[in-house]
Amino acid sequence: MGTARREETDGRKRRWQQHNADRRQAVIEAALTVLARDLEPGAELSVQQIADEASVHRTVLYRYFEDRTDLDVAIQQEICNRAGELLLAAVTLEGTPREIVHRIIAAYVGWGAEHVAWMRDRKSTRLNSSHVSESRM
């Protein structure tokens, strides 16, 4: 009976971990949407903007991220992962060296042209934590 209880607890724990991972990804997606749609060059990305897009209270974001830096890094990692996937797909040994380089550069430039807001200097879109208590930073 103790084993069944442990397995049940482990199952709940796994479901809860998956729920948290899904919510964390939803918050990152919301941040990317705000960056692409709403943010003017040089403007700061606020936690409130992300929370509004994710349809959660801004304090809820910190259930899924340790602090502002963790959120900021997660957003940057997602952008890099998406660019990296595209670039890896372009890296093949088909064609001449010139064609290979051209294909990789074209993939990068094309992705950058489609995602200009994501390519901006991340320092200029640093999360604005004016609404977050100092203890959360």
Side-chain angles (χ1 to χ4, degrees):
M1 197 150 126
T3 304
R5 178 75 176 144
R6 188 176 334 156
E7 289 174 10
E8 182 180 320
T9 302
D10 290 344
R12 279 189 293 222
K13 185 176 182 179
R14 281 191 301 273
R15 286 190 299 277
W16 188 246
Q17 287 171 335
Q18 184 60 51
H19 168 78
N20 285 340
D22 292 345
R23 291 301 300 153
R24 180 179 169 97
Q25 187 61 38
V27 169
I28 293 168
E29 294 294 331
L32 295 177
T33 298
V34 172
L35 278 171
R37 184 190 64 214
D38 300 335
L39 210 61
E40 296 294 323
E44 290 184 357
L45 176 63
S46 74
V47 173
Q48 188 62 55
Q49 289 172 300
I50 298 169
D52 290 346
E53 184 65 30
S55 299
V56 297
H57 192 276
R58 65 181 163 74
T59 59
V60 171
L61 295 181
Y62 291 101
R63 292 182 189 166
Y64 311 110
F65 301 93
E66 290 181 24
D67 55 18
R68 169 188 152 174
T69 300
D70 188 32
L71 175 57
D72 208 27
V73 168
I75 294 165
Q76 292 171 8
Q77 284 177 333
E78 184 66 23
I79 291 168
C80 290
N81 288 342
R82 290 182 185 198
E85 288 172 10
L86 179 89
L87 291 174
L88 282 176
V91 177
T92 65
L93 297 178
E94 298 169 10
T96 66
R98 182 184 196 112
E99 291 169 336
I100 294 168
V101 170
H102 184 268
R103 183 176 53 250
I104 294 168
I105 292 172
Y108 180 74
V109 171
W111 187 88
E114 288 179 31
H115 302 94
V116 173
W118 295 357
M119 299 286 288
R120 288 189 199 120
D121 180 8
R122 294 287 49 104
K123 290 179 185 173
S124 67
T125 55
R126 184 95 179 146
L127 293 178
N128 178 349
S129 63
S130 62
H131 301 292
V132 181
S133 69
E134 291 294 321
S135 65
R136 297 299 296 170
M137 287 197 254

